Amino acid sequence: MTTSHHNFFLLLLLFLLPLSSSSLEATSAAGTIIFTTLGRSRYNFDIFSLPIATSSSTLPPDNDRQLTDGVSINFNGFFPSLSSSSFLPSSSSFSSLDSLLYVTERNGSSAIYLDLFPSVSASASPSVRRTALQLPTRLQLPLLPTAESTRGAPLISMMDRPSLSGDLLVYVSTHHPSSSPRQSWAAVYSTHIPTGRTRRLTPSGVADFSPAVSPSGAWIAVASYGDEGWSGDVEELRTSIYLLRTEDGSRRSLLVDHGSWPCWADDSTLYFHRRGSDGWWSIYRATISFASTVVSVESVVRITPPGFHAFTPATSAGAPGIIAVATRRQTSKYRHIELIDMRNGSNVYVEVTRPVAPYSHHYNPFISPDGSKVAYHRCRGSSNGDPSLLLENIKSVAPENFSLLRFDGSFPSFSPDGKQIAYVNLPGLFVVNSDGSSKPREVFSGNAFPTAWDWKRKGVIYTSTGPEFAGESTTVDIISITLPDDDGDEDAQAQPSIKQLTTGGKNNAFPSPSPDGKWVVFRSGRSGHKNLYIMDAEEGESAGIHQLTEGSWTDTMCSWSPDGEWIAFASDRDNPGSGGFSIYIVHPNGTGLRRVVHSGSSGGRTNHPCFSPDSKSLVFTSDYAGISAEPISNPHHYQPYGEIFTIKIDGSDILRLTHNSFEDGTPTWTPFFLEPADVAEALDGSARCSFDDCHWLNINKSPT
């Protein structure tokens, strides 16, 4: 790379990255919040590309080319054409470079990066073509302010499906709160890169997803619920496709009822996906007519037939008549990229990724402007990039000085001294040092959930054993696990002792001990309904039991406050049996019951409360902010709307801590402050990439 390229890169970084604010000083005042994200530690996504075959006889290469750098996860890419972008002076100097726009979660928050790196011919040898990381120089820069560069006001938000049209960056962000619970924060924004001027294009009170800019740059197509709002969809979003002007969001109009993930073939042709009445996800084409004041649809035609799933279409003006799609065929449990060639009047399907990586999932294809290559993201495996993380630092918008960390395990809880974390893997309960200095040690092999340490007795962990999702009469019991006093020696031969504290097995679960070490609150289905009970911490219910709540509803997921004054729990008592849960608190003597969080009136889910060290706030997981992206564009998540929030126990000052399209849950809050830095996991990384595609795409029927 020439010296002028290096000098320009330094100047560009100075222009786009304001000076970083000083880091927060470590304090134990507010402690640490850790939470889990379903499968997230196994993704290791990078963006890869393959050349588009010029004929059906062209053999695929041995390897796809890795375009991103193996740091964190990199996904939802876009090939921009930089010839009309003025923020890159002397664009002719970059004519020999490939450009890639993508979303990355490095540095603890979501960001949009632009990479420039030397082009490699599709005809180059596999050893040259294999990876962009082997090339000598790349220019890499964020196109929006990062958490470090905004001086105390970080734009912590999901910045999804970006595209660059000239100097205008168009993307989805969730940084602006909605006005009511369960109303999605997702909105389309545009940022003028040279000036930083940012405009919200989505109307207030409306959520937009998956924007696509037309080839002329004049229009944006989005998937949206319009004024109706999210209804709790967790598979297909029952959105429609709207058009709006790119410059200011004006002339917004409904284009297609029932459709998502739009992409433009030209300024009068859109492709999109939706699930048909026959159950198959398919690609559709809409032909658009533009009049002086009216935009209308002339026709909508189904492109892919029933018998397999096809979704997330992509097109390019450089490859007319070709559509890239992700598919789930009956012959594979993996998601793969295929090309549909419609140039000869009949749809010819060309496999892209299955011949190269048959046992990997491939997501969200996109095609280069010249039509020479198709790209996508997939798991890079364990061969390069960062190590597996036990704890991943997440940049927090909280004004307090607590650290926020994603933990690689479910239902984590800290030991009273903060040195160890217990968690479950469903099955199995494990203990690991919180600084990552030990390998996880299995202390119980059965199916257990959740975990809670005794406040007074050293090495005592409470959990429940049995099925995690089951009815009132299912056999589930509370046990205590006493660890051997081995001072964390992972090679110690002593085995933990296990004591069953409940009898009868009527779905006794979610134990939480009192801070004086005398009692345990838990939920039980012994009355025919799941309510809360209190029993002796050491002897269990054999020493007596007290029913704390009573009613024909479900009270569950309880947490005892550090000051001993309150018990928080999730309950559907607002609408029993609806599946909707709110957060309540009650004194241990049964008085003072009040609702703290209500996540809407139609099935909102607000769960897993845990108290702050000073007992004045709660952390919890919730769909309070609605859904942030199309679920089909991600790996499987049971609840793709789960985010982490805090709130004061009087119901004030609700604060969103995470912004992503994954399932965040089971948070815990310790008084010990862990440095806001990643902690590597003492594992060999063999579990990387072991995640599932969306379960509801599994094919269990014959073609129709």
Side-chain angles (χ1 to χ4, degrees), residues 550-596:
E550 184 176 2
S552 56
W553 49 69
T554 293
D555 298 331
T556 187
M557 305 174 191
C558 38
S559 173
W560 210 311
S561 65
D563 64 6
E565 290 295 314
W566 294 101
I567 292 170
F569 61 98
S571 178
D572 69 349
R573 60 178 60 207
D574 296 319
N575 189 3
S578 66
F581 284 82
S582 299
I583 300 295
Y584 283 79
I585 59 174
V586 65
H587 289 304
N589 64 4
T591 65
L593 177 72
R594 70 170 183 261
R595 188 174 66 194
V596 179

Side-chain angles (χ1 to χ4, degrees), residues 535-699:
M535 65 179 173
D536 186 89
E538 291 192 56
E539 299 302 322
E541 67 172 282
S542 65
I545 190 168
H546 166 68
Q547 186 167 359
L548 179 62
T549 65
E550 184 176 2
S552 56
W553 49 69
T554 293
D555 298 331
T556 187
M557 305 174 191
C558 38
S559 173
W560 210 311
S561 65
D563 64 6
E565 290 295 314
W566 294 101
I567 292 170
F569 61 98
S571 178
D572 69 349
R573 60 178 60 207
D574 296 319
N575 189 3
S578 66
F581 284 82
S582 299
I583 300 295
Y584 283 79
I585 59 174
V586 65
H587 289 304
N589 64 4
T591 65
L593 177 72
R594 70 170 183 261
R595 188 174 66 194
V596 179
V597 186
H598 185 39
S599 184
S601 58
S602 58
R605 292 178 173 87
T606 300
N607 292 320
H608 299 293
C610 180
F611 280 94
S612 61
D614 63 5
S615 301
K616 294 180 180 179
S617 299
L618 290 166
V619 63
F620 59 95
T621 182
S622 180
D623 63 356
Y624 192 89
I627 201 162
S628 297
E630 294 193 44
I632 200 171
S633 67
N634 284 322
H636 183 72
H637 291 268
Y638 294 99
Q639 299 178 140
Y641 44 71
E643 302 284 354
I644 306 300
F645 294 79
T646 61
I647 194 170
K648 291 183 178 178
I649 62 172
D650 64 4
S652 64
D653 295 343
I654 190 168
L655 180 66
R656 181 177 181 175
L657 299 185
T658 61
H659 293 253
N660 57 59
S661 56
F662 312 130
E663 180 184 349
D664 297 331
T666 62
T668 190
W669 203 334
T670 177
F672 295 94
F673 183 83
L674 273 63
E675 289 295 329
D678 294 342
V679 175
E681 196 162 14
L683 294 173
D684 59 8
S686 60
R688 290 189 176 194
C689 305
S690 58
F691 55 87
D692 294 329
D693 198 17
C694 298
H695 289 185
W696 34 270
L697 286 174
N698 291 341
I699 298 170

Side-chain angles (χ1 to χ4, degrees), residues 326-345:
T327 64
R328 278 292 301 276
R329 295 275 185 175
Q330 296 188 75
T331 55
S332 176
K333 66 178 183 179
Y334 293 94
R335 182 182 301 208
H336 283 295
I337 307 303
E338 298 185 41
L339 299 177
I340 307 175
D341 189 344
M342 301 184 296
R343 289 176 295 183
N344 296 322

Side-chain angles (χ1 to χ4, degrees), residues 471-505:
E472 287 79 0
S473 62
T474 304
T475 300
V476 182
D477 275 305
I478 307 293
I479 61 173
S480 64
I481 302 171
T482 303
L483 305 181
D485 190 10
D486 55 18
D487 295 323
D489 181 3
E490 63 185 62
D491 296 322
Q493 298 300 311
Q495 296 299 310
S497 62
I498 297 172
K499 184 175 183 177
Q500 184 170 323
L501 300 179
T502 57
T503 59

Side-chain angles (χ1 to χ4, degrees), residues 104 304 312-313 317 349 405 488 491 498 534 585 676:
T104 182
T304 58
T312 57
Y349 293 84
L405 299 162
D491 296 322
I498 297 172
I534 296 175
I585 59 174

